[in-house]
Amino acid sequence: MPLQQVTVLGSTGSIGQNTLDVIAQHPNRYQVFALVAGANWQQMLLDAQRFSPEVIVMADATAADHLRRELSGSNIDVQSGLQAMIDVSETSSVDIVMAAIVGAAGLPASLAAAKAGKKVLLANKESLVVAGDLFMRTVRESGATLLPIDSEHNAIFQCLEGGKFDREQGGVSRILLTGSGGPFRTTDLSEFGAITPERAIAHPNWSMGPKISVDSATMMNKGLELIEACWLFGVTPADIDVVLHPQSIIHSMVSYLDGSVIAQMGNPDMRTPIAYGLAYPERIASGVKTLDFTQVARLDFDVPDRQRYPCLWLAREAFAAGGASPAVLNAANEVAVAAFLAGEIAFCDIALVCERTLEAKFSDAIDSLDEILTIDRAAREVAHSLINQGL
């Protein structure tokens, strides 16, 4: 069996590093063709020395210059910029693309991989939130294989026959999308005004980057995942129940018409869905310890509270509104989370920025990548303006 060539988009982030960990466990199956990241050239240097990719792409040109100096004398081609990211995603040399660049910045390269008919492991939920119709249409037209890597969507895929939500033939009833509720699930609402970035990024179960950790605290991540699930599985928000499950042992469930509920369970470790995606339809070792049920003291479930998690409802409403609304919501959230992490706005202002940005008027022309990116930029300008004006 020839080695499968892999491009890892967002290789220095949490998902990227976990992907490289799984790849390292299977040197006879996978080879890294390209590593792509933003500005963290120090981590990229370590990964380059370990995996010897053919190409490295840094979004930041200065970071690329650092790497060229450090890797002088090697055969690694160091490039920079968006077009280079697209090139290593669509090149004929590559079999698998791990799409793990955080935020809307990952959309062009992810879409290029889908258009080229690759096996796309989608860990960048924003690609579907921002451009769901375009992305899924591209996958169908190119014959690409799309496998969700978010633990929840990967779980749903595993619980559905062939990853398809089929009421008539498959007897599917509902999707139960689980979420931990983040670090403030039991925090008194009167304390929300004093929440600091340090507290918000301290997730109780998962080790993630700052942005997605804040999204977990607001449950915007679950709102974006709900939108993503609608596109992935061809459903509406009415087909999905969001269930709080603080232990993060059950990653999601599917309810069937006969009363059965099928759940995908495991320790909270992203290497499990990554390994599933890399090897699908086979299964390979991921390095994750098998779940020991004798050590699972209890499994709790609850209904999310709208007052505590307004971002979840904003996402439902954005999908229902259709058009550019999901893209606008995502852009506003990225701006608001960055402002919160920088100490410019309060935790509760994240939802407020998103809500008020959604109230602005935007074009609903979202049939091309250029149109989507234009709306994304316009929404960011509105969100920045709201923050600068003190909301």
Side-chain angles (χ1 to χ4, degrees):
M1 179 178 174
L3 289 173
Q4 296 181 69
Q5 301 293 318
V6 185
T7 286
V8 183
L9 304 174
S11 65
T12 59
S14 175
I15 298 294
Q17 290 295 293
N18 278 307
T19 301
L20 293 177
D21 182 84
V22 175
I23 288 173
Q25 297 176 53
H26 301 278
N28 296 324
R29 293 184 66 114
Y30 308 107
Q31 184 173 33
V32 175
F33 174 81
L35 297 176
V36 178
N40 188 354
W41 66 268
Q42 295 92 339
Q43 181 61 53
M44 183 64 86
L45 177 60
L46 296 175
D47 294 335
Q49 293 166 339
R50 184 181 182 191
F51 292 96
S52 298
E54 288 193 29
V55 186
I56 288 174
V57 182
M58 303 299 293
D60 183 82
T62 302
D65 289 339
H66 281 297
L67 275 174
R68 287 191 190 96
R69 287 194 293 270
E70 294 291 336
L71 294 171
S72 62
S74 76
N75 293 322
I76 299 174
D77 180 15
V78 179
Q79 302 179 23
S80 64
L82 177 60
Q83 187 57 52
M85 294 183 186
I86 291 172
D87 290 344
V88 296
S89 300
E90 64 184 10
T91 178
S92 60
S93 302
V94 168
D95 303 295
I96 302 172
V97 175
M98 167 57 79
I101 296 175
V102 175
L107 174 58
S110 301
L111 190 61
K115 189 173 183 179
K118 305 300 181 184
K119 181 179 183 180
V120 182
L121 311 186
L122 191 64
N124 168 265
K125 62 175 64 68
E126 290 83 3
S127 290
L128 290 181
V129 172
V130 172
D133 182 60
L134 175 62
F135 198 96
M136 296 305 293
R137 188 169 68 245
T138 300
V139 168
R140 289 192 298 270
E141 291 173 353
S142 70
T145 299
L146 180 63
L147 295 166
I149 299 302
D150 272 353
S151 61
E152 295 83 0
H153 301 94
N154 189 270
I156 295 164
F157 186 92
Q158 294 189 50
C159 294
L160 289 169
E161 291 282 344
K164 298 187 183 301
F165 188 98
D166 188 338
R167 289 189 191 278
E168 293 186 7
Q169 300 297 321
V172 180
S173 175
R174 301 189 65 71
I175 288 172
L176 305 175
L177 183 66
T178 61
S180 69
F184 308 125
R185 181 177 57 87
T186 60
T187 302
D188 193 284
L189 292 175
S190 65
E191 299 178 26
F192 271 41
I195 289 174
T196 63
E198 291 73 22
R199 290 178 64 192
I201 64 175
H203 194 281
N205 300 334
W206 298 93
S207 176
M208 306 180 292
K211 194 267 180 183
I212 193 171
S213 295
V214 174
D215 283 349
S216 179
T218 64
M219 281 199 82
M220 178 63 87
N221 74 319
K222 208 54 51 181
L224 300 180
E225 286 170 11
L226 183 145
I227 294 173
E228 184 182 6
C230 288
W231 287 115
L232 281 169
F233 305 114
V235 299
T236 70
D239 298 311
I240 302 174
D241 290 333
V242 175
V243 180
L244 294 184
H245 170 50
Q247 290 86 4
S248 296
I249 296 297
I250 295 177
H251 300 302
S252 273
M253 300 171 275
V254 173
S255 175
Y256 287 82
L257 295 174
D258 63 3
S260 300
V261 177
I262 297 178
Q264 190 270 333
M265 307 172 71
N267 286 310
D269 191 313
M270 286 305 299
R271 290 177 296 173
T272 295
I274 289 168
Y276 182 87
L278 281 169
Y280 180 82
E282 301 176 57
R283 288 184 185 264
I284 58 174
S286 66
V288 178
K289 185 178 178 181
T290 301
L291 185 63
D292 183 352
F293 283 95
T294 65
Q295 299 300 310
V296 179
R298 55 189 289 173
L299 298 175
D300 295 309
F301 305 94
D302 204 350
V303 178
D305 170 30
R306 182 166 188 161
Q307 190 174 1
R308 184 177 299 273
Y309 302 116
C311 288
L312 176 58
W313 270 263
L314 286 174
R316 282 187 178 275
E317 292 161 5
F319 187 85
S325 294
V328 171
L329 175 66
N330 178 75
N333 181 63
E334 288 189 17
V335 170
V337 170
F340 167 67
L341 289 170
E344 297 170 3
I345 62 173
F347 180 78
C348 295
D349 290 335
I350 295 173
L352 189 58
V353 170
C354 293
E355 181 178 13
R356 292 189 177 174
T357 304
L358 280 168
E359 292 171 354
K361 299 297 182 184
F362 299 92
S363 168
D364 269 340
I366 52 172
D367 293 327
S368 71
L369 179 59
D370 285 343
E371 289 172 338
I372 291 167
L373 295 178
T374 296
I375 289 169
D376 177 81
R377 287 192 293 270
R380 290 172 191 273
E381 290 174 3
V382 171
H384 279 298
S385 177
L386 287 167
I387 292 168
N388 293 336
Q389 294 171 14
L391 301 179

